[in-house]
Amino acid sequence: MVDDHSPAVSRELIGRAAAAISRARHVCVLTGAGISAESGIPTFRDAQEGIWARFDPLDLATPEGFERDPDLVWQWYEWRRDLVRKAEPNAGHHALATLARRVPRLTLVTQNVDGLHQRAGSTGVIEYHGNILRDRCTVEQVVAERSRDAGGGLPRCLGCGGLLRPDVVWFGEMIPRGALLLADAAAENCDVFLSIGTSSLVYPAASLGEAALRHGATVIEINPDSTDLSPRAHVVLRGPSGLVLPAVLELLP
Ligand code: OAD
């Protein structure tokens, strides 16, 4: 195990990560809120700012909270959508889009709902927790367009008039089946697993790193802080992904 507690990540550690990646046939990447922090989107631990600080996440991000007060939940999501729309992908997102072109195969799984990987040029992104910019009909359970004659009320489905909700996974809900299967398969079959900007606390996403370890992958973590995965990772790069990922790319042969 290699860990670096110095504030600047050493060139040697970055070199180790680059060497493992350059030998890999399949790289699986799991990203979390940390990769978008440098784009100005607060991570989950910091997400409730200002007026939202006094609300319980269980009222804002659960099916029960939505049933109780859809208006409140929509206000919170509209606030977050606004943040996401104004944000730009950062050097970390761009480095991952470039990395996909430098290795034989790369699977990118994200817990983020902000779409910034796609805006940076990544394709085939597995959206484990959905996408905040999409609406889903609560009646038909499919991604839906908004009816234009909703007036000032809650957003309604263009097709059936049913109440819309954000197309994200809330606490207590299942991960979309396709995303779950594809991510599991990638974690079990990759040679290198990169865990970037995630606290590795929320399951089942956190189980992907464990699956990769069990199947013999080299596990590399990029995060300024320690996580539950850190003690088991083979290489730990303690720094912000917007700086560390471009540095890793630079050292690829
Ligand atoms: P967290 O907010 O739990 O963790 C963010 C991680 O990013 C922390 O470990 C930080 O140390 C790290 N971090 C902060 N700045 C960083 C930077 N510049 N570069 C790299 N890392 C940085 O976010 P997630 O682990 O993504 O689920 O949270 C997982 C899930 O918990 C979310 O997807 C969400 C939440 O409940 C759902 O909405 C279903």
Side-chain angles (χ1 to χ4, degrees), residues 3-241:
D3 199 343
D4 184 2
H5 296 287
S6 62
V9 184
S10 74
R11 201 178 157 80
E12 197 243 324
L13 276 181
I14 291 172
R16 279 190 202 202
I21 291 169
S22 69
R23 287 192 298 268
R25 282 159 294 136
H26 182 184
V27 176
C28 178
V29 184
L30 173 67
T31 62
I35 195 159
S36 295
E38 288 155 272
S39 294
I41 300 177
T43 66
F44 269 85
R45 310 306 140 195
D46 314 322
Q48 285 177 279
E49 291 182 326
I51 53 165
W52 302 109
R54 58 196 162 90
F55 290 99
D56 184 339
L58 295 182
D59 286 330
L60 300 172
T62 60
E64 296 77 22
F66 187 63
E67 216 163 281
R68 261 197 308 275
D69 194 345
D71 201 36
L72 173 77
V73 173
W74 265 118
Q75 280 181 52
W76 190 57
Y77 275 94
E78 291 298 356
W79 173 77
R80 289 184 55 209
R81 278 184 174 185
D82 200 43
L83 269 181
V84 162
R85 285 202 187 98
K86 287 179 182 148
E88 293 295 333
N90 65 56
H93 297 107
H94 288 296
L96 285 177
T98 305
L99 183 62
R101 297 190 290 272
R102 304 279 302 272
V103 295
R105 187 171 168 207
L106 184 140
T107 304
L108 176 51
V109 184
T110 188
Q111 296 168 85
N112 299 345
V113 295
D114 56 30
L116 288 180
H117 284 304
Q118 291 91 329
R119 282 172 55 197
S122 286
T123 53
V125 180
I126 300 174
E127 291 182 319
Y128 212 70
H129 290 161
N131 190 309
I132 198 172
L133 299 174
R134 286 193 303 256
D135 292 323
R136 181 167 13 123
C137 176
T138 56
V139 176
E140 299 165 295
Q141 292 302 333
V142 291
V143 171
E145 272 186 59
R146 284 181 182 214
S147 161
R148 271 170 289 277
D149 48 49
L154 290 166
R156 297 271 163 191
C157 172
L158 181 63
C160 78
L163 182 61
L164 293 176
R165 56 165 282 177
D167 188 29
V168 299
V169 175
W170 281 329
F171 292 113
E173 292 187 321
M174 307 282 281
I175 305 300
R177 192 173 154 72
L180 193 72
L181 294 176
L182 287 171
D184 277 348
E188 289 171 9
N189 292 305
C190 65
D191 316 292
V192 167
F193 183 89
L194 272 171
S195 176
I196 306 171
T198 174
S199 53
S200 296
L201 287 174
V202 176
Y203 282 80
S207 68
L208 296 173
E210 293 164 4
L213 281 166
R214 268 198 317 279
H215 286 81
T218 299
V219 172
I220 301 168
E221 181 179 66
I222 301 177
N223 196 314
D225 290 318
S226 179
T227 75
D228 281 4
L229 183 68
S230 307
R232 289 167 291 163
H234 299 98
V235 184
V236 178
L237 305 174
R238 285 255 169 276
S241 43

